[in-house]
Amino acid sequence: MKYDSVTEDAEALNKLEKICGILKGPAKEPSAVVKHRLKVASCFIEEDIRRGILPEKIGGFSEAHDYTDANMYLINEGWPDPKAGSFYEWEGWSVDKICEHFNLIIEALDRWLKDGRRQPVLMYLDD
């Protein structure tokens, strides 16, 4: 069966979990979840570039939407730690707070892609 994005391929996602790394134990701080989700999103994007879903030179995160549902890079409900897989599991967080953290990831991914993925993705995260 042919898949488009890696986000639609459960078998590939299972393999990438080992490559991307899974948080060991619960994330205690929102910043740890943001860093984890950023690393995972970049791993998914790299895989889709390898698969030819995304072009090697992509102008930014918003351009990824021309090829796939790029928002799916931001979540993965199947990860063992629900707080690492979904910001919606953070009890007591408002929608605004959740969006604020998604935006941190999107902005870092955007800078990373615009820079040609030259540095590790965490270098593009504003603290």
Side-chain angles (χ1 to χ4, degrees):
M1 173 178 274
K2 182 192 178 304
Y3 294 96
D4 290 323
S5 173
V6 67
T7 62
E8 300 171 18
D9 183 347
E11 185 177 323
L13 284 174
N14 288 333
K15 290 177 185 175
L16 280 179
E17 286 177 350
K18 292 176 180 71
I19 296 167
C20 298
I22 299 173
L23 282 176
K24 304 295 183 208
K28 296 188 180 358
E29 308 238 350
S31 63
V33 175
V34 167
K35 288 177 182 175
H36 177 73
R37 293 303 320 146
L38 180 58
K39 282 178 48 180
V40 171
S42 68
C43 190
F44 290 176
I45 289 169
E46 290 286 6
E47 176 64 13
D48 273 357
I49 290 170
R50 187 193 69 72
R51 289 172 171 230
I53 303 302
L54 298 174
E56 179 71 29
K57 294 181 191 235
I58 186 165
F61 186 76
S62 63
E63 189 178 309
H65 287 285
D66 294 344
Y67 304 94
T68 190
D69 181 358
N71 292 324
M72 295 307 292
Y73 295 132
L74 305 176
I75 61 174
N76 182 355
E77 302 297 332
W79 286 73
D81 181 347
K83 289 184 179 175
S86 173
F87 283 106
Y88 300 106
E89 296 293 329
W90 285 93
E91 292 180 24
W93 276 34
S94 68
V95 172
D96 288 343
K97 189 71 167 172
I98 293 168
C99 290
E100 177 184 319
H101 284 76
F102 273 130
N103 287 336
L104 290 172
I105 297 166
I106 291 167
E107 290 164 6
L109 288 170
D110 192 57
R111 286 189 289 274
W112 175 67
L113 291 168
K114 286 179 177 177
D115 194 40
R117 307 180 334 271
R118 294 187 299 169
Q119 304 271 347
V121 71
L122 292 178
M123 300 290 295
Y124 298 88
L125 184 62
D126 283 341
D127 291 329

